[in-house]
Amino acid sequence: MDMHELGRTTPLPGQRVAVVGSGIAGLAAAWLLRRDYRVTLFEADLRPGGHTHTVNVTLDGVEAPVDTGFLVFNRRTYPDLCALFEHLGVASAASRMSFSVSLCDPDMEWAGTSLATVFGQRRNLARPAFWRMLGDLVRFNRETQRLVETSPTRLADVSLGEFLADGGYSTMFRDWYLLPMAAAIWSCPTQQMLAYPLPTFLRFCHNHGLLQVVDRPEWMTVRGGGRTYVNRMLADLERVCLGTPVLAARRSAEGVALRTAGGEHHFDAVVFACHSDQTLRMLGGGASDAERAVLGAVRYQPNVAWLHTDPALLPRRRGLWSAWNYMAGVGAPGNQPVSVSYLINQLQPLPFARPVVVSLNPAQPPADEHVFERIEYAHPVFDRAAIAAQGRLADIQGRQRSWFAGAWTGYGFHEDGLRSALAVVRQFGVLAPWRHRRERVSA
């Protein structure tokens, strides 16, 4: 036997499998395994879905579902998610994607929707620094698009910050456009984005059409809120334990024992589909050196989201209100949490005239009379250590009867979480229905 394969197991149909975490990765893994294995899904929260969090909002006597975490997707870069939704019969609606930057120091606002919103603050017309930013934006898109197409690995060891400095890009371009846009996408402080590995950053931007003006993907949202797909998948599962945190996991040659407040539960295999740091806590001293190296390399950024109707947390000029609004108070960009306000009225078909907003880490929380809910999230930070750890994930998959899934294994988005589940269940001998059809046709 190859020593490298020691400790690996091959799951057999009919065995007991625990899935820990009911976000997209765990939910998909449990749902896909359910026909061939005896699956139990554990979720620490009373609410299933992870970052898919839909809240009922009532305004002026009208109630509608509002998403606060997972919001949008598109056919180009979310192919498996779209296939899952089609299989489940989940309907979608068109979503409007736009981006604005609102700064207090200096007093500067702009939005990228049109020429009118780019110069929505009239003084930008006479601001040389603003014109320099626009010039750098065009140059950055042109140069990085060429890099992606011709030399994708030439700058493998270069960070985003190093590339900007070496290329002579202005601080205005960095602080008024690129870092706000990037930090809004990944929900992490701007300073952390400067350490992001350049090839990974450019590959994501290229795939999502962020380096081009035309032919960008058309974005969609789940009609009725993201909980629609969560509820449909949950309805197909027999054993779901909500409000049941897994306190510890103990693995042996005989199986896996998961300890909860209700006692110990025994399984033949386990899929950890939660944050990597949470998995490490469950494994405790039983984690292998390789597991600690991979799972411990991913850091997480805590973020607080407020669901509210306070227009004070949107750009000062109403004409610049966009789907995503980067908000910065007094002080230079740095390590403070990114502050973004998502105008849900533009992202989802809501029946409200008043703005419904999800604000991430606002400098000042919304006024109490405007607040519906306060939500705590944590998002993975994709620095060099995390990207390198992703490349070693295969080394720990299937060892000690354990598999690992989650959006942290990719770019941090819904498609990544789903794809990680698809990769895991394939090792159980299971293919997604849409991939099964695809492979049968290609054969």
Side-chain angles (χ1 to χ4, degrees):
M1 176 186 291
D2 185 345
M3 291 297 291
H4 184 67
E5 292 303 308
L6 282 176
R8 290 195 189 277
T9 56
T10 302
L12 299 174
Q15 287 188 324
R16 299 160 300 170
V17 178
V19 178
V20 183
S22 70
I24 180 62
L27 193 57
W31 184 80
L32 289 164
L33 292 172
R34 76 193 189 281
R35 295 189 186 279
D36 299 301
Y37 295 85
R38 290 180 287 163
V39 177
T40 302
L41 178 63
F42 291 90
E43 170 55 55
D45 203 331
L46 289 170
R47 175 189 61 81
H51 282 215
T52 300
H53 186 182
T54 308
V55 177
N56 284 340
V57 167
T58 301
L59 275 177
D60 304 321
V62 178
E63 183 180 77
V66 174
D67 283 326
T68 66
F70 164 65
L71 284 165
V72 292
F73 61 98
N74 67 75
R75 290 188 175 88
R76 183 193 302 177
T77 55
Y78 293 70
D80 281 302
L81 189 67
C82 288
L84 170 65
F85 288 170
E86 182 180 352
H87 184 86
L88 294 173
V90 172
S92 63
S95 182
R96 295 165 54 194
M97 291 292 285
S98 54
F99 179 67
S100 77
V101 175
S102 178
L103 309 179
C104 288
D105 184 18
D107 176 11
M108 197 278 297
E109 290 188 324
W110 73 287
T113 309
S114 66
L115 193 61
T117 61
V118 168
F119 295 103
Q121 185 179 18
R122 291 293 178 245
R123 73 175 65 175
N124 289 341
L125 284 164
R127 188 179 251 161
F130 191 82
W131 286 98
R132 172 73 188 276
M133 178 201 75
L134 295 178
D136 278 348
L137 193 161
V138 173
R139 178 165 69 96
F140 180 85
N141 286 354
R142 182 180 65 245
E143 291 181 349
T144 54
Q145 183 81 8
R146 186 168 62 247
L147 271 176
V148 170
E149 293 172 352
T150 62
S151 309
T153 60
R154 184 166 68 85
L155 300 175
D157 296 325
V158 177
S159 70
L160 177 60
E162 290 166 342
F163 178 78
L164 295 177
D166 293 344
Y169 287 94
S170 65
T171 57
M172 291 75 70
F173 167 72
R174 183 192 68 193
D175 296 341
W176 297 358
Y177 169 69
L178 189 65
L179 290 185
M181 181 269 291
I185 291 173
W186 277 280
S187 304
C188 74
T190 53
Q191 203 65 30
Q192 289 182 0
M193 284 310 309
L194 289 173
Y196 204 105
L198 180 70
T200 305
F201 178 82
L202 295 184
R203 189 162 53 247
F204 175 87
C205 291
H206 174 75
N207 291 343
H208 285 73
L210 299 176
L211 303 179
Q212 58 205 66
V213 177
V214 297
D215 193 31
R216 290 190 170 186
E218 297 179 357
W219 292 88
M220 299 172 288
T221 187
V222 176
R223 192 175 293 278
R227 68 180 175 202
T228 302
Y229 87 80
V230 172
N231 290 339
R232 292 189 184 180
M233 296 177 81
L234 280 176
D236 289 336
L237 302 180
E238 292 184 11
R239 291 170 290 275
V240 178
C241 303
L242 299 179
T244 310
V246 173
L247 304 176
R250 180 172 50 83
R251 301 167 296 177
S252 67
E254 288 71 39
V256 179
L258 300 184
R259 181 167 57 84
T260 69
E264 201 166 72
H265 311 267
H266 297 272
F267 300 92
D268 298 294
V270 59
V271 178
F272 292 102
C274 44
H275 290 175
S276 54
D277 58 343
Q278 296 171 333
T279 299
L280 265 184
R281 286 196 293 272
M282 294 178 215
L283 294 177
S288 68
D289 291 343
E291 288 171 340
R292 277 191 288 269
V294 172
L295 302 175
V298 183
R299 297 182 295 118
Y300 290 83
Q301 171 67 37
N303 291 302
V304 176
W306 298 82
L307 176 61
H308 65 93
T309 59
D310 191 347
L313 273 66
L314 290 168
R316 297 179 289 281
R317 294 160 180 81
R318 188 179 183 116
L320 300 185
W321 287 6
S322 302
W324 293 20
N325 305 272
Y326 176 88
M327 313 292 293
V330 176
N335 289 311
Q336 66 269 30
V338 62
S339 179
V340 182
S341 284
Y342 304 92
L343 183 55
I344 309 300
N345 307 64
Q346 293 195 17
L347 292 165
Q348 295 184 288
L350 299 183
F352 307 128
R354 279 197 274 170
V356 176
V357 185
V358 172
S359 290
L360 206 64
N361 307 318
Q364 294 293 330
D368 290 345
E369 63 270 22
H370 290 284
V371 174
F372 292 108
E373 192 163 337
R374 179 185 183 276
I375 310 149
E376 294 185 1
Y377 290 116
H379 296 89
V381 176
F382 296 104
D383 53 17
R384 281 186 173 129
I387 301 300
Q390 291 175 350
R392 301 192 303 271
L393 179 62
D395 295 341
I396 63 173
Q397 293 285 33
R399 293 189 181 277
Q400 298 188 74
R401 301 175 177 268
S402 304
W403 281 261
F404 307 90
W408 62 270
T409 65
Y411 292 109
F413 300 99
H414 243 54
E415 182 75 3
D416 302 298
L418 176 55
R419 286 186 178 181
S420 74
L422 295 174
V424 165
V425 302
R426 191 178 186 113
Q427 296 186 39
F428 285 69
V430 174
L431 279 178
W434 59 93
R435 285 198 171 185
H436 182 73
R437 290 193 301 270
R438 192 184 308 158
E439 293 197 6
R440 189 169 62 234
V441 170
S442 64

